[in-house]
């Protein structure tokens, strides 16, 4: 049904989106906690920074990443010199660009999940002898897990389709950084590529619908597990 | 011994209280909503840091703002029961009960899981999730969970207030058993006088963020100057002992210092301590011994004093039977007609005796 090159784009997209979620999940939980429960000056600034990739043109986000993580960049330079890690024009770079773009989505969902947890339950855990971290891990985290799951699935689904930041920061290299949307774009630019574009678009539809359905199914199951149904 | 002194300001409200609670037994913090009761509990539990204050429990200082000491809640070992139960919804009842037990310091002693499950009748609930429990069942689990964290102090923040009358009647006997069995100081916040009567040994009356009075329930029940007296059910509270049963006449004799009461036959064993309440409106006064009355309890008494009641047409008469004092509320006209004055020998006619609760402990005959 799909040619080897098209399969490659699909697999690459799944891999990039998966890696981007894996990288951003823990920081997103931390940032969501700071935004929901933290009381510190600069909270609104942090909130604004997290949401920047949602409102700034993706190409600009990709360009900023180029400046920061380029071989000569303030972060990319040391990474390359000390650890030999190069992010620009690599699959990992595509994952980083995707992670930055979907970060606000995860933070929002995780934060919603966290805000649905009654802080009175955490207070109860403390009076029962739990330290703050213990109370977070045994009470808050399990109860906010539907939010974390929702965030991860949304970010994964959105990550499959990330275009602007990826093409700017990681370029459009088949087998390396050419994810589904980039492959579709390339197909529409080449004569006789309509068939490829249509097949890949169908795959995109299928993945999106599968993602939504599994999110719904898991959310219901999780709420039952958490004793909410 | 629990000693509490707290000062804390809210917008439009200042809390400034100091009181002590006994080694064991229930001290009720009683007052209208918004008088600062729950704030006191939160500060004792460590969930709220007051502007100034000192809290010590059995010689251990939990909070001393002057010394800059404020133990976090997990180090205070105050088991807390909240009005809304606050059970962990993702854990079974059994796991909820074990949550505090697992985190209790190893040297702490207290009742075990099986004991608490039996005391509160939780056996059939253990595998259930909190969402599948009724309000009363939730509160019973919350009581067990607090008791199982091996606390040195139990804090109860209106544990029955969210329940309807039926649920309340279902939980109250378990609560009574727990309070008797716990052998701990218990601070009990409520605005319901019936809960005070059923549970408390000491009472701290609060109003507008200040302590109005603090004493034993019996002593405060006689104070006609307190807002308690304005309520319809003002009256004396007597600590009685079951002295004898007369199954033939269907009566039980309850002894109190200076006299005895006859009440309809009780189930409690002889020697059981029982608290009774003689509401002031149920106590009439006669200057000659009444004859041919259906009333069981007509006792010789002496007028101690007359005081103002809530309405100008009524007076409170303080009566003494031996060392025990009673209150009677009669019209001002009656008091003048009978020429009541301190020292006068009268008869107290008790139209009704309310039995509040059996107090668990059996008094050994001396």
């Amino acid at each position: 049904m799909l040619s080897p090159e098209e399969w490659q784009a699909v697999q690459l997209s799944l891999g990039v989106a998966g890696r981007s979620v894996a990288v951003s999940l823990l920081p997103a939980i931390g940032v969501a906690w700071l935004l929901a429960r933290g009381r510190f000056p600069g909270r609104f600034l942090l909130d604004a920074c997290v949401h920047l990739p949602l409102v700034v043109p993706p190409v600009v986000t990709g360009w900023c990443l180029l400046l920061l993580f380029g071989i000569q960049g303030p972060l990319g330079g040391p990474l390359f010199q000390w650890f030999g890690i190069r992010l620009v024009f690599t699959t990992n770079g595509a994952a980083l660009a995707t992670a930055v773009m979907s970060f606000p989505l995860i933070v929002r969902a995780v934060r919603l999940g966290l805000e649905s947890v009654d802080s009175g339950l955490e207070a109860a855990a403390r009076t029962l002898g739990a330290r703050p971290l213990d109370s977070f891990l045994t009470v808050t985290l399990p109860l906010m897990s539907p939010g974390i799951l929702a965030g991860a699935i949304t970010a994964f689904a959105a990550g499959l389709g990330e275009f602007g930041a990826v093409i700017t920061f990681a370029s459009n290299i088949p087998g390396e950084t050419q994810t589904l949307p980039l492959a579709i774009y390339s197909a529409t630019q080449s004569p006789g590529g309509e068939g490829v574009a249509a097949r890949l678009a169908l795959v995109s539809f299928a993945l999106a619908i599968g993602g939504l359905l599994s999110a719904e199914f898991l959310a219901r199951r999780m709420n039952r597990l958490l004793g909410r149904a | 011994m629990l000693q509490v002194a707290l000062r804390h300001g809210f917008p439009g409200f200042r809390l400034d209280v100091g009181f002590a609670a006994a080694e064991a037994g229930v001290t009720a913090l009683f007052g209208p909503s918004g008088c600062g009761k729950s704030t006191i509990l939160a500060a004792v539990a460590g969930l709220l840091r007051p502007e100034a204050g000192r809290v010590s429990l059995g010689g251990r200082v939990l909070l001393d703002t002057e010394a800059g000491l404020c133990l976090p809640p997990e180090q205070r070992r105050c088991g807390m029961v909240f009005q809304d139960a606050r059970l962990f919804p993702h854990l079974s009842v059994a796991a909820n009960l074990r949550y505090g037990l697992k985190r209790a310091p190893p040297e702490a002693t207290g009742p075990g899981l099986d004991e608490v499950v039996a005391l509160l009748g939780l056996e059939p609930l253990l595998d259930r999730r909190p969402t599948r429990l009724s309000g009363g069942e939730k509160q019973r689990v919350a009581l067990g969970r607090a008791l199982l964290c091996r606390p040195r102090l139990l804090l109860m923040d209106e544990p029955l207030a969210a329940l309807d009358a039926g649920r309340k009647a279902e939980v109250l006997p378990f609560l009574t058993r727990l309070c008797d069995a716990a052998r701990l100081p218990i601070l009990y916040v409520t605005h319901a006088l019936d809960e005070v009567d059923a549970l408390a040994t000491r009472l701290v009356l609060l109003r507008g963020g200040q302590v109005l009075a603090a004493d034993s329930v019996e002593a405060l029940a006689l104070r006609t100057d307190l807002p308690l007296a304005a309520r319809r059910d003002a009256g004396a509270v007597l600590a009685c002992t079951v002295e004898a049963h007369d199954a033939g006449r269907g009566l039980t004799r309850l002894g109190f210092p200076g006299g005895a009461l006859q009440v309809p036959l009780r189930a409690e064993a002889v020697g059981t301590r029982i608290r009774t309440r003689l509401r002031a409106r149920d106590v009439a006064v006669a200057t000659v011994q009444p004859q041919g009355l259906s009333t069981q309890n007509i006792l010789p008494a002496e007028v101690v004093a007359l005081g103002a009641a809530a309405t100008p047409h009524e007076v409170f008469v303080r009566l003494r039977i031996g060392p025990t004092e009673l209150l009677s509320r009669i019209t001002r006209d009656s008091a003048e007609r009978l020429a009541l004055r301190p020292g006068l020998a009268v008869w107290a006619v008790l139209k009704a005796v309310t039995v509040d609760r059996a107090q668990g402990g059996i008094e050994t005959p001396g």
Side-chain angles (χ1 to χ4, degrees):
Chain A
M1 203 177 90
L2 294 180
S3 74
E5 290 78 24
E6 290 159 15
W7 262 119
Q8 202 176 38
V10 173
Q11 282 170 350
L12 193 67
S13 261
L14 293 172
V16 164
R19 263 184 265 187
S20 81
V21 172
V23 168
S24 53
L25 201 53
L26 275 182
I29 292 173
V31 169
W33 191 87
L34 281 177
L35 290 178
R37 297 279 155 88
R39 292 284 168 269
F40 57 95
R43 194 162 64 95
F44 294 103
L45 202 66
L46 178 65
D47 201 3
C49 283
V50 166
H51 284 89
L52 268 185
L54 270 189
V55 286
V56 165
V59 177
V60 175
T61 304
W63 179 72
C64 289
L65 287 174
L66 264 183
L67 289 186
L68 281 174
F69 288 97
I71 303 283
Q72 313 289 334
L75 293 174
L79 266 182
F80 185 63
Q81 276 169 15
W82 299 343
F83 304 104
I85 299 172
R86 188 170 66 90
L87 287 172
V88 277
F89 311 137
T90 64
T91 314
N92 282 332
L96 174 70
T98 306
V100 170
M101 289 304 294
S102 54
F103 194 66
L105 297 176
I106 304 197
V107 170
R108 283 173 84 94
V110 172
R111 185 175 169 180
L112 273 179
L114 178 57
E115 281 169 350
S116 76
V117 179
D118 176 8
S119 60
L121 292 175
E122 294 161 7
R126 299 287 303 278
T127 65
L128 291 167
R131 291 161 187 277
L133 183 65
D134 184 7
S135 136
F136 178 78
L137 291 178
T138 56
V139 175
T140 321
L141 199 60
L143 290 174
M144 68 191 277
S145 58
I148 296 175
L149 185 78
I153 291 179
T154 316
F156 182 79
L160 290 173
E162 184 44 45
F163 183 84
V166 172
I167 203 168
T168 313
F169 181 58
S171 182
N172 187 1
I173 308 164
E176 191 79 37
T177 67
Q178 192 182 68
T179 55
L180 261 178
L182 272 61
I184 295 173
Y185 171 75
S186 297
T188 57
Q189 297 300 304
S190 55
E194 291 85 1
V196 178
R199 279 198 297 278
L200 290 179
L202 271 178
V203 172
S204 293
F205 268 122
L207 287 174
I209 290 171
L212 286 177
L213 287 180
S214 60
E216 183 63 27
F217 172 75
L218 284 171
R220 282 190 193 186
R221 216 189 141 76
M222 215 139 184
N223 274 323
R224 230 189 352 264
L225 271 177
L226 293 173
R228 283 185 181 154
Chain B
M1 181 83 153
L2 169 75
Q3 280 175 308
V4 179
L6 298 167
R7 273 208 319 269
H8 194 69
F10 294 98
F13 176 72
R14 268 207 79 73
L15 183 74
D16 191 348
V17 295
F19 62 90
E23 204 58 62
V26 178
T27 301
L29 303 182
F30 179 82
S33 309
C35 69
K37 307 180 298 264
S38 296
T39 308
I40 296 172
L41 277 205
V44 172
L47 298 174
L48 176 141
R49 189 179 185 144
E51 281 160 12
R54 199 184 137 89
V55 176
S56 68
L57 173 62
R60 185 163 168 261
V61 180
L62 305 181
L63 170 82
D64 189 344
T65 47
E66 241 171 65
L69 176 87
C70 181
L71 288 184
E74 63 269 21
Q75 286 175 28
R76 297 198 181 196
R77 301 197 35 222
C78 300
M80 184 136 178
V81 181
F82 301 89
Q83 184 178 335
D84 50 351
R86 298 198 188 170
L87 300 179
F88 304 129
H90 58 302
L91 300 178
S92 68
V93 166
N96 265 282
L97 290 172
R98 281 197 206 97
Y99 193 91
L101 189 61
K102 276 195 285 191
R103 288 162 176 80
E107 73 277 7
T109 54
L113 186 69
D114 297 339
E115 227 174 304
V116 170
V117 165
L119 179 79
L120 297 170
L122 300 175
E123 184 65 46
L125 312 178
L126 286 178
D127 293 329
R128 280 200 237 164
R129 284 296 182 82
T131 35
R132 310 285 299 274
L133 302 178
S134 74
E137 289 169 337
K138 277 184 195 162
Q139 225 33 294
R140 269 155 59 197
V141 176
L143 290 175
R145 188 178 67 169
L147 189 59
L148 276 170
C149 75
R150 303 265 155 98
R152 296 186 181 174
L153 168 71
L154 272 177
L155 302 171
M156 304 204 187
D157 191 1
E158 309 211 31
L160 303 180
L163 306 178
D164 60 50
R167 302 287 120 192
K168 201 166 152 170
E170 168 203 315
V171 178
L172 199 54
F174 289 106
L175 194 54
T176 315
R177 283 166 72 181
L178 183 145
C179 290
D180 286 335
R183 307 254 165 272
L184 289 168
I186 299 174
L187 278 189
Y188 189 99
V189 160
T190 183
H191 62 261
L193 203 52
D194 56 332
E195 289 169 34
V196 173
D197 291 332
L199 297 166
T201 48
R202 285 178 58 81
L203 189 54
V204 177
L205 276 182
L206 294 160
R207 192 166 59 181
Q210 305 221 303
V211 176
L212 217 54
D215 208 333
S216 70
V217 170
E218 287 84 359
L220 286 186
L222 293 170
R223 294 266 305 266
T224 53
D225 58 322
L226 296 174
L228 277 180
R231 303 173 72 126
R232 295 289 306 163
D233 41 11
V237 174
L238 299 190
C240 300
T241 309
V242 176
E243 282 187 344
H245 297 297
D246 186 341
R249 292 170 64 204
L251 292 175
T252 291
R253 193 170 80 230
L254 303 177
F256 65 87
L261 302 170
Q262 301 284 347
V263 297
L265 198 60
R266 304 283 307 172
E268 289 88 355
V270 170
T272 310
R273 280 181 296 147
I274 276 181
R275 175 184 281 169
T276 61
R277 208 148 37 90
L278 305 172
R279 290 177 297 189
R281 60 172 162 150
D282 291 335
V283 178
V285 178
T287 45
V288 292
Q289 183 167 14
Q291 302 288 328
L293 277 187
S294 62
T295 310
Q296 284 286 353
N297 296 297
I298 300 170
L299 302 170
E302 182 191 318
V303 175
V304 178
L306 281 83
T311 67
H313 314 296
E314 289 178 314
V315 289
F316 275 119
V317 184
R318 276 172 68 185
L319 303 169
R320 198 170 67 201
I321 302 173
T324 302
E325 286 202 9
L326 304 184
L327 270 188
S328 164
R329 192 170 68 189
I330 58 175
T331 60
R332 185 170 293 282
D333 177 68
S334 303
E336 281 164 10
R337 223 161 13 84
L338 297 176
L340 296 183
R341 61 186 185 281
L344 186 69
V346 294
W347 295 87
V349 181
L350 314 182
K351 290 179 278 186
V353 177
T354 312
V355 176
D356 278 330
R357 71 144 167 163
Q359 277 178 307
I362 307 273
E363 237 173 39
T364 43

